[in-house]
Every structure is written in structure tokens, then in C-alpha cells.
Amino acid sequence: MQKWIIGNWKMHKTVAETIEHISALKPLVFRAHSPVWLAVPFTDIYAAAQAALGSHIEIGAQNMSDLLGGALTGEISGVMIKEAGASFVILGHSERRRHFQEDNHNVNRKVKLALRLGLTPIVCIGETAEEKAAGATEQVLSRQLQECLDGVVVDSTITPIIAYEPVWAIGSKQAAPVEIVEKIHHFCHNWIAQLNWQGVSRVVYGGAVSPDNCGDFLKADGVDGLLIGGASLDVRAFTDIVWKAEGIRT
Ligand code: PGA
């Protein structure tokens, strides 16, 4: 099974830094079979896609509008990111939900639009520390899956990827315990299995992933890959994760 290694750069790296980073990363991951994806800032997509040419590194965006175009100052459409070189888009990241008031309904519209445009949506779900403490994790995740994927029809080769990212782990030093991740990934796989999607459903884990802890997650049952924030900004750390995934691939 292949393991998706997906970097989420968040609001980091200029165009010049992007070109330098990808030029350094390219030869280091050249022989890896695992999909290596980088979600970069909008302004870096074109340069990143150009820099990645000739490699299997795929470039994506971290968000997009839920509309195709129009008088929407400051918005970026899926058509634009696709033309710039993106092949996937992260949707509903908890930072978008928290700081920009995005909800499951926005995410649902974006997922449908992304699929229509031929972009692979990575749909982020995850509970907060309070929801976890209240024992509401599965209830919260069910609702996110239900509302984000409502009416989503998958009839092509492009299937959404679900990213389980517990909000309490993101940007912390404390990743979720592997047993919890395994349990939640089974929960998500079972949930998706009811949807009759064509193609394979993939669930990746994100939240404080590092070269030190990635092996445990990559070996865990039902974990199809990793969504990596902080550690994806460093060529060496990210390369280490790619090669750990390569060693675990069956
Ligand atoms: P982190 O971020 O790896 O820095 O915790 C993960 C994410 O937000 O996708």
C-alpha cells in the first residue's frame, strides 16, 4: 500500500524560497514511490509546479473559493489554482474553520466544485480538546463527514482524501496516540464505505507529525499517509518522512 506524504506549508515561503526548497527536495525524493504532495501558498503554486517538473512531486493549494468566479474581492477560484499547476486542494483545515469561520457547508460546496474541476479534495476533520474531553469525538467527526460529504458523488478516478487532524495536536509537540489514530481511521473508513464511492477511500493523519514519530503512524492499520505542517518546511525532515514511508510500503 502506498502512503501519501503531504506537506502543508501554511503561510510560509516566498516564491524564491519555494524554488530553492523544491530544487533541493527533488533529487532527494526522486526514487521514492510514495506520492509526495506539497500544499503551498497560492502565490507559490505556479513556481512550485514549474520547479517540480520532471519529478513526481504534486503541488496543491490550501483552500479555494466555493464559487467559480465573480465579484469576490480577495478570493481565488479552483480554475485559477488548477491552471497555475495545482492537482489537489486542502479543504476545511481547522485553521480555516477557526480563523475564517469556514463551516462544513462551505467545505461541502468546495468539495463538489473541486471534484468537478478535477482537483483532489483533502477534507480535514478533527475534534477540539474540549470535544475530546467531553467524549464527543466520534459524534463530531460523524457530523463533519456527513455535512462535508453530503451529496458528494464520486464517479471518476478522483476520490476525496480524508485528513484526520485532531485540533489539539496540530502545531503542538504532542501527536495523537497511535491507538487513537488507528481507531479513528477505522471509524472513517467504515463511514466512507457506506457511501458507495467508486475507487479507494484514503484517510491520512495530521497533527505534530515528525521524522521521529512518523514510523508509528505509517505502520498503523488504516493510515494511508500523513499531512505534515511544521516538519514539511524543512527539506531534511520531510525527506526523512518520505523515506520512512518508503521503508514501510508493502
Ligand atoms: P503540524 O500541522 O504538523 O505542524 O502539527 C499539521 C497541519 O496543520 O496540517
Side-chain angles (χ1 to χ4, degrees):
M1 284 280 284
Q2 282 185 316
K3 303 286 182 181
W4 265 247
I5 304 301
I6 308 165
N8 173 13
W9 284 6
K10 309 196 178 185
M11 196 169 71
H12 295 288
K13 296 193 190 292
T14 63
V15 168
E17 288 164 349
T18 296
I19 295 168
E20 194 187 327
H21 183 102
I22 294 180
S23 307
L25 181 67
K26 223 162 125 169
L28 299 176
V29 299
F30 191 68
R31 289 180 192 283
H33 297 84
S34 308
V36 176
W37 292 12
L38 296 174
V40 304
F42 289 128
T43 46
D44 294 336
I45 294 174
Y46 184 74
Q50 292 295 306
L53 284 177
S55 76
H56 74 305
I57 300 172
E58 293 204 26
I59 304 302
Q62 302 166 13
N63 182 31
M64 64 178 220
S65 170
D66 60 359
L67 293 168
L68 273 179
L72 293 161
T73 302
E75 282 290 89
I76 305 274
S77 97
V79 176
M80 296 168 184
I81 61 173
K82 185 156 189 211
E83 190 199 46
S87 62
F88 72 94
V89 57
I90 295 178
L91 298 173
H93 189 281
S94 67
E95 288 153 13
R96 300 288 323 160
R97 294 174 186 264
R98 190 171 48 198
H99 302 298
F100 304 97
Q101 289 73 50
E102 286 192 14
D103 61 20
N104 294 335
H105 303 290
N106 297 122
V107 177
N108 180 251
R109 288 194 293 277
K110 293 180 187 191
V111 173
K112 289 175 178 161
L113 192 51
L115 288 170
R116 231 174 86 198
L117 294 172
L119 291 158
T120 302
I122 300 182
V123 183
C124 298
I125 58 169
E127 80 287 4
T128 62
E130 296 73 33
E131 289 162 342
K132 177 172 178 270
T137 299
E138 292 194 358
Q139 195 187 328
V140 169
L141 299 180
S142 281
R143 181 160 185 184
Q144 290 175 334
L145 287 167
Q146 171 66 48
E147 294 183 351
C148 292
L149 301 178
D150 185 41
V152 170
V153 178
V154 176
D155 54 7
S156 71
T157 48
I158 300 179
T159 312
I161 294 177
I162 305 301
Y164 171 54
E165 295 208 302
V167 181
W168 44 272
I170 294 176
S172 76
K173 297 246 173 307
Q174 197 57 58
V178 178
E179 315 75 66
I180 292 191
V181 171
E182 225 169 40
K183 182 169 158 247
I184 299 294
H185 278 236
H186 284 149
F187 171 82
C188 294
H189 279 294
N190 289 338
W191 207 97
I192 297 164
Q194 313 159 27
L195 298 176
N196 282 326
W197 281 353
Q198 314 274 330
V200 191
S201 69
R202 299 204 164 83
V203 185
V204 301
Y205 168 73
V209 172
S210 69
D212 291 337
N213 65 19
C214 68
D216 295 337
F217 294 120
L218 290 165
K219 280 186 228 147
D221 199 39
V223 175
D224 300 306
L226 299 168
L227 182 53
I228 306 147
S232 73
L233 296 172
D234 181 73
V235 171
R236 177 51 60 195
F238 190 70
T239 303
D240 277 1
I241 298 174
V242 170
W243 283 101
K244 289 228 167 96
E246 205 58 16
I248 286 159
R249 204 170 61 93
T250 50

